[in-house]
């Protein structure tokens, strides 16, 4: 009852904080505050910051013809203004009002694309510029729009007449003042950091007194120190957050240099830590491991960011602050989640995947987590966040953490993860020619009195991955055979993997043009079940999973082996 009361108290505290935040935001958007956003209009844009995000001139052509492919959805305007359409997809609307698609107009490099960009910006100013409300003025969306307008001001203002030039700068100034006012009320996480980044961009790119730049720089430094962990991860524990934040920080660093201003030490330190962290999460094929909100990887986007990575050598193997471990030898990569749930305030995308892992060999993935369908149906999100969607153990068909059901905290697809493991320990056990770790978590201790411990060891040259799962009574002694000790250990397979049994009865994981791996377990006969892989580029795909089911009271320790086919028999007695 204590843990339930604790969770209830935390939820109500979050609900109260969210109501207060929304009330403050409504106040700042109302007439009592709106006069504060008026003021002097900047005379010009001093510099257009660079944009590392990939651009496609073909998308500029689609937009010109009234087709807006945003956030994984295509909307045809039929000749109407996109800003007047009542599109139910919130992600599409946020992407539209974020204006990152202006980069495609810049990439097109034509007068027609510039005129279209100018017309759309003018349309937004006329329809939303004077009414601070709705998705268009969500602080996170406003921060994206401010950055995008500054980065692509050259194409927007190309050939512009003076009235539009002034209207553009006036609207930009209002948005910056509004963002400066509401940033303190924003929830913790990457959107608040992006708002700080946007204000720093504004202080560098527009005529402003030195005090404005000093204030923006100081606030940015404080936010970076708070959100970027010592090992380069983000407090949300989402690998995608590292990529997205770097895509803003690297252009900001360049803008400081272009304006002959010294970037804050916190900015330089964050970039120096985050670039190796991004490499830490990469498999050999360049994709990011699917943990805590990571979905399909856009490889070119990662390449554009890592182009600025001057560090050499292999990625780090240990990320203790982010809560991840990496084993890497002989072209084999294993990445494992060995951390607890992130703080509830930044857990809107977190998963209950403690002690899950992914295995790749060369450019082929074998064992994976289900990941998320970033732009797919929101009702799938809770399924992807459950422990059963990860390559780890579940007890009694329950997740090691649960998603809050309080809709007062946000949309159903982005409710925070609560009640996860309170204590997660991890110890490296690298040996002579091997890499490994032992980790345990207590996510099931309060409900079922059982602690899960997992040991993974990658042999020399990546010949074999040896696994051991132990289940311990939280209070010591033996686990009771009371029907509350049913364990299911899952190994989700990538959709490209085919599965069959060889002559010895072992499961063989195979893919065209790639090495084969065999799976064996000494204590439990493995079964095969259907699975779903949410993180495919084209949307969810059917896949399969190897499943080990047993009672922890009868099998407290489980040993299993993934062995590269054709290797020696010395691992058969694992």
């Amino acid at each position: 009852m204590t843990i339930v009361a604790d969770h209830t108290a935390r939820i109500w505290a979050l609900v109260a904080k969210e109501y207060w935040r929304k009330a403050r935001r409504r106040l700042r958007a109302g007439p009592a505050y709106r006069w504060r956003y008026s003021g002097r209009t900047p005379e010009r844009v001093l510099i257009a910051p660079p944009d590392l995000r990939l651009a496609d001139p073909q998308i500029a052509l689609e937009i010109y013809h009234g087709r807006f492919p945003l956030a994984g959805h295509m909307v045809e305007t039929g000749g109407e203004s996109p800003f007047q359409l009542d599109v139910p997809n919130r992600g599409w609307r946020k992407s539209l009002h974020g204006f990152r698609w202006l980069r495609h107009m810049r990439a097109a490099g034509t007068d027609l694309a510039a005129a279209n960009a100018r017309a759309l910006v003018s349309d937004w100013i006329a329809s939303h510029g004077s009414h601070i409300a709705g998705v268009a003025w969500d602080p996170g969306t406003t921060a994206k729009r401010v950055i995008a307008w500054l980065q692509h001001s050259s194409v927007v203002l190309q050939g512009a007449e003076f009235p539009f030039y002034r209207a553009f700068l006036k609207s930009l100034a209002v948005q910056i003042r509004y963002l400066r006012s509401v940033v303190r009320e924003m929830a913790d996480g990457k959107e608040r950091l992006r708002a700080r980044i946007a204000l720093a961009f504004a202080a560098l790119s527009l005529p402003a007194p030195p005090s404005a730049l000093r204030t923006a720089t100081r606030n940015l430094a404080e936010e970076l120190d708070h959100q970027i962990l010592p090992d380069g991860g983000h407090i949300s524990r989402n690998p995608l957050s590292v990529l997205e934040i770097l895509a803003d920080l690297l252009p900001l660093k360049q803008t400081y240099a272009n304006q002959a201003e010294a970037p804050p030490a916190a900015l330089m330190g964050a970039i120096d830590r985050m670039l190796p962290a991004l490499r830490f999460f990469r498999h050999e094929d360049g994709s990011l491991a699917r943990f805590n909100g990571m979905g399909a990887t856009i490889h070119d986007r990662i390449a554009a960011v890592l182009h600025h990575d001057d560090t050499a050598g292999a990625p780090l193997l240990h990320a203790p602050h982010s809560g991840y471990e990496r084993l890497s030898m002989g072209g084999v990569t294993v990445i494992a989640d060995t951390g607890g749930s992130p703080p509830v305030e930044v857990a809107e995308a977190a998963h209950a995947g403690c002690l899950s892992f992914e295995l790749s060999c060369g450019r082929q993935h074998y064992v994976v987590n289900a990941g998320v369908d970033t732009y797919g149906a929101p009702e799938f999100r809770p399924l992807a966040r459950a422990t059963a969607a990860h390559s780890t153990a579940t007890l009694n068909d329950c997740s090691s953490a649960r998603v809050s059901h309080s809709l007062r905290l946000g949309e159903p697809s982005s409710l925070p993860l609560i009640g996860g493991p309170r204590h997660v320990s991890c110890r490296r056990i690298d040996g002579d020619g091997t890499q490994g770790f032992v980790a345990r978590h207590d996510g099931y201790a309060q409900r079922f009195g059982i602690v899960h411990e997992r040991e993974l060891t990658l042999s020399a040259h990546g010949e074999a991955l040896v696994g051991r799962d132990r289940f311990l009574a939280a209070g010591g002694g033996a686990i009771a055979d009371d029907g509350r000790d049913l364990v299911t250990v899952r190994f989700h397979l990538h959709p490209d993997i085919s599965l069959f049994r060889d002559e010895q009865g072992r499961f063989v994981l195979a893919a065209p043009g790639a090495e084969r791996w065999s799976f064996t377990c000494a204590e439990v006969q493995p079964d095969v079940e259907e699975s779903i892989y949410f993180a495919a580029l084209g949307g969810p795909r059917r896949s399969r999973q190897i499943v080990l089911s047993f009672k922890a009271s009868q099998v407290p320790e489980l040993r299993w082996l993934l062995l590269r086919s054709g290797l020696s028999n010395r691992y058969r007695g694992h």
Side-chain angles (χ1 to χ4, degrees), residues 414-425:
S414 60
L415 292 172
L417 195 73
I418 59 173
R422 294 188 172 189
H423 302 286
V424 183
S425 62

Side-chain angles (χ1 to χ4, degrees), residues 171-235:
S171 177
L172 192 55
V174 169
Q175 295 175 58
I176 292 167
R177 294 186 189 107
Y178 166 74
L179 196 60
R180 191 180 296 130
S181 174
V182 301
V183 65
R184 298 177 187 86
E185 271 73 52
M186 293 181 68
D188 197 5
K190 66 180 180 182
E191 288 200 344
R192 190 170 74 190
L193 176 54
R194 184 178 290 119
R196 293 298 187 190
I197 293 171
L199 293 173
F201 268 125
L204 289 164
S205 303
L206 299 172
S211 59
L213 179 58
R214 286 196 299 269
T215 300
T217 298
R218 182 182 66 252
N219 290 334
L220 172 64
E222 291 174 355
E223 202 64 50
L224 287 170
D225 287 339
H226 166 62
Q227 294 202 29
I228 307 305
L229 300 171
D231 55 23
H234 185 251
I235 55 174

Side-chain angles (χ1 to χ4, degrees), residues 484-547:
R484 291 163 53 84
D485 62 331
L486 302 177
V487 177
T488 305
V489 180
R490 292 179 168 86
F491 302 83
H492 292 273
L493 306 182
H494 191 275
D496 293 339
I497 296 298
S498 58
L499 189 66
F500 60 89
R501 290 186 183 271
D502 62 9
E503 295 83 357
Q504 288 79 36
R506 301 175 301 181
F507 278 121
V508 176
L509 288 63
E515 295 191 67
R516 295 182 175 185
W517 287 71
S518 62
F519 177 89
T520 54
C521 178
E523 292 80 16
V524 177
Q525 179 67 30
D527 293 322
V528 178
E529 295 181 4
E530 293 294 315
S531 181
I532 185 167
Y533 180 68
F534 293 107
L537 275 172
R541 293 177 59 186
R542 293 181 61 182
S543 59
R544 288 188 284 181
Q545 56 179 311
I546 297 174
V547 177

Side-chain angles (χ1 to χ4, degrees), residues 247-290:
D248 286 329
L249 290 183
L250 288 167
L252 181 60
K253 171 188 171 183
Q254 185 62 45
T255 306
Y256 271 101
N258 291 342
Q259 292 295 74
E261 295 285 350
L267 171 60
M268 303 301 291
I271 291 174
D272 289 344
R273 298 194 307 275
M274 294 177 76
L275 285 169
L278 184 61
R279 296 173 64 213
F280 174 95
F281 289 113
R282 292 181 82 203
H283 285 281
E284 289 288 326
D285 70 336
S287 62
L288 297 183
R290 289 146 288 257

